[in-house]
Amino acid sequence: PPPLPVLPIPSSSQLKWQRREVIMFFHFGMNTFTDSEWGTGTEDPSLFRPAALNATQWMDAARAAGASLVILVAKHHDGFCLWPSAYTAHSVRASPWRAGRGDVVAEFVAAARSRGLDAGLYLSPWDRHDVRYGQEVAYNEYYEAQLHELLTGYGSVSEIWFDGAKGKNATNMTYHFQEWFQTVKQLQRSINIFSDDGPDVRWVGDEKGYAGTTCWSAVNRSAITIGEAGIEKYLNEGDPRGRDWVPPECDVSIRTGWFWHANETAKPLAQLLEIYYNSVGRNCVLLLNAPPNTTGVVEDADVARLREFGQAVETIFGTDLAAGSVARASSERGGGFEACNVLDGRDDTYWAPTEEDGRRNGYWIELRRPAAGRPFEFNVVRIQEHVALGQRVERHAVYVDGAPVANGTTVGHKRLHRLPRPVAGRKVRVWITARRGPPLLSAVGLHHDPFVAAGAM
Ligand code: IPT
């Protein structure tokens, strides 16, 4: 029989999200036109006038980066709404753009669909414009009403983002998160809700795009208060004893700011790849932000950088040097759970050992080059758990022909080890030295990363 789950386990929406690996964020709005990151809320709507907004161009940039989901900031802290909300005058309706008949959310969602991408939305709880902010009942109702508009007017929304950000001098205000989350799920059953404490996807605790070297998908949600300082380390590493499956998302901008500023440029490729290894390679989804400019397009240099990034990931991971090797393991459960499943490129097949195995010598799986073939030569090791049945690995180590080359703690959906220099050998063995249950591995891959710069490690 198949192995039993080790709780907690992901929902099908969370699994689908996890397998996206790279998704994109678009911060665009009043701040784009005022050279600001946090607007005051007093901005004149007439300032919002992108000369040639082209959301399809944003989608092409997202696709070039390898993203399958795009998230738009529909309202940031300044309160200006990118859709013609019926509940406020502070929106695109009051701007000169498209003569006040424009709707960025509608154009964004339509462009995403036309390019085969799923859409998500961000609606800032902190609102520095609306007069109801500070009046608990009135503002929470306003916020609910806007959730309703966004989640009923634009078709299927895959993710919604609740930012915990709030200025130090912000008016006191209790957000009714539990009611909001309930409304969201009632309107969109398969949506993933992002906030510091999920319920579906959690913040990783920083805006650098780095997860902890130990990174559990689980946490105890009751241990987290949204927006509270001091929770960052817990969010960064997760909790091996967590009862709630709430995997982390790493939000980071390709530039310094979230919004477009004339004097900023995109991070170099090497830095974006470092981010990839420290996010996707540490059991997270990478949410990469690109800021459209005052024209309403992502700048050519940024698009070029996103394309370079997407191509680099494809160059490194498009070829699995372990393909064609022979897999054996400390034990095999049999009946469809053979060691060779780690080589088939599928997420739904995996190696499962016997229950007794761990009590004897410990668990290991080994890839071997047939005697006639050339030795392996690689500088990246990829290990993936079948997290559909829970995250189990607590500690692991990688050996090449008996010599240690890498080790670490958690694995989760994907763990990447980038080695300082290429190694060669005929046998690659992964030891699982500590675990919460028999390890279930869906993949062990070997890759060559030509972008490892001398000294970049
Ligand atoms: C930070 C919020 O405090 C946090 O709750 C989360 O929403 C995060 O943003 C998302 O990036 S604020 C930021 C200035 C660190």
Side-chain angles (χ1 to χ4, degrees):
L4 300 173
V6 170
L7 299 180
I9 57 169
S11 70
S12 60
S13 294
Q14 288 172 318
L15 258 189
K16 185 174 174 193
W17 166 89
Q18 184 95 50
R19 290 172 179 165
R20 294 179 187 277
E21 299 190 344
V22 178
I23 63 179
M24 277 200 66
F25 221 173
F26 290 96
H27 275 71
F28 178 71
M30 194 54 89
N31 292 333
T32 310
F33 298 86
T34 58
D35 197 23
S36 173
E37 283 289 316
W38 281 5
T40 62
T42 57
E43 296 84 5
D44 188 327
S46 69
L47 294 172
F48 184 84
R49 47 191 326 149
L53 187 143
N54 179 0
T56 308
Q57 190 259 0
W58 309 4
M59 301 308 150
D60 291 336
R63 282 172 54 120
S68 62
L69 165 64
V70 286
I71 302 177
L72 173 70
V73 172
K75 179 190 86 165
H76 204 249
H77 314 327
D78 57 76
F80 182 76
C81 299
L82 295 194
W83 79 103
S85 173
Y87 303 100
T88 179
H90 198 56
S91 80
V92 282
R93 209 198 293 272
S95 83
W97 178 65
R98 307 245 194 278
R101 286 187 292 276
D103 182 338
V104 183
V105 175
E107 292 191 24
F108 182 85
V109 166
R113 303 236 148 87
S114 79
R115 287 296 190 264
L117 301 170
D118 291 321
L121 295 169
Y122 165 120
L123 182 68
S124 171
W126 185 30
D127 191 318
R128 305 181 79 183
H129 175 84
D130 201 83
V131 293
R132 286 161 287 199
Y133 195 86
Q135 301 168 42
E136 185 173 330
V137 173
Y139 182 74
N140 276 282
E141 280 177 354
Y142 170 57
Y143 195 91
E144 278 275 346
Q146 292 203 320
L147 282 177
H148 206 276
E149 274 184 324
L150 292 174
L151 298 177
T152 57
Y154 299 92
S156 163
V157 177
S158 297
E159 181 167 334
I160 185 149
W161 235 78
F162 291 95
D163 195 336
K166 203 195 237 186
K168 284 195 176 56
N169 304 323
T171 311
N172 261 337
M173 177 71 208
T174 303
Y175 303 140
H176 295 180
F177 281 115
Q178 296 324 312
E179 282 85 344
W180 297 351
F181 294 169
Q182 200 178 348
T183 297
V184 167
K185 289 279 167 148
Q186 278 176 328
L187 298 176
Q188 300 261 350
R189 293 288 297 268
S190 60
I191 200 168
N192 284 312
I193 298 178
F194 170 103
S195 82
D196 289 358
D197 83 336
D200 302 302
V201 176
R202 75 176 194 259
W203 184 40
V204 74
D206 65 51
E207 296 183 339
K208 296 186 310 207
Y210 287 18
T213 51
T214 294
C215 187
W216 293 98
S217 294
V219 291
N220 282 320
R221 292 190 60 211
S222 58
I224 305 167
T225 305
I226 300 176
E228 195 179 77
I231 57 176
E232 291 83 355
K233 188 173 189 299
Y234 189 71
L235 296 177
N236 209 238
E237 298 183 348
D239 187 342
R241 283 170 298 279
R243 284 177 297 274
D244 308 301
W245 187 273
V246 193
E249 185 168 283
C250 300
D251 58 318
V252 61
S253 185
I254 62 164
R255 289 174 166 222
T256 311
W258 293 105
F259 288 88
W260 179 84
H261 305 287
N263 59 352
E264 290 182 1
T265 55
K267 294 178 166 76
L269 175 64
Q271 195 178 345
L272 293 180
L273 284 176
E274 192 64 17
I275 287 170
Y276 180 88
Y277 281 100
N278 290 333
S279 55
V280 177
R282 291 179 178 174
N283 187 36
C284 293
V285 167
L286 169 57
L287 175 59
L288 203 51
N289 177 73
N293 63 12
T294 50
T295 305
V297 296
V298 180
E299 296 202 342
D300 290 346
D302 292 10
V303 176
R305 186 54 42 78
L306 289 166
R307 177 165 291 113
E308 260 185 276
F309 169 74
Q311 284 172 349
V313 170
E314 177 57 27
T315 299
I316 302 164
F317 297 101
T319 304
D320 183 0
L321 302 168
S325 60
V326 179
R328 54 182 202 115
S330 47
S331 72
E332 289 183 356
R333 199 178 173 97
F337 303 103
E338 291 76 17
C340 60
N341 288 345
V342 302
L343 294 169
D344 67 5
R346 291 171 56 168
D347 279 325
D348 57 340
T349 63
Y350 51 94
W351 161 60
T354 61
E355 307 280 341
E356 302 77 52
D357 186 7
R359 287 196 284 276
R360 294 198 310 265
N361 306 314
Y363 299 104
W364 54 262
I365 185 164
E366 183 179 85
L367 307 180
R368 219 168 3 125
R369 263 278 177 251
R374 298 216 332 245
F376 296 118
E377 198 180 332
F378 59 92
N379 59 2
V380 176
V381 182
R382 172 174 53 93
I383 310 172
Q384 300 190 236
E385 278 186 79
H386 182 70
V387 290
L389 292 174
Q391 187 180 351
R392 297 150 184 247
V393 177
E394 289 177 312
R395 183 161 284 285
H396 67 283
V398 184
Y399 292 79
V400 176
D401 291 345
V405 298
N407 66 75
T409 52
T410 51
V411 172
H413 167 69
K414 183 171 280 189
R415 179 67 188 254
L416 299 173
H417 290 286
R418 185 151 63 155
L419 311 178
R421 65 194 66 82
V423 293
R426 293 198 166 269
K427 283 185 196 166
V428 175
R429 185 179 282 203
V430 178
W431 278 94
I432 309 301
T433 51
R435 73 279 154 188
R436 295 173 60 240
L440 309 178
L441 297 190
S442 70
V444 178
L446 304 175
H447 302 275
H448 175 65
D449 178 344
F451 306 94
V452 179
M457 303 300 297

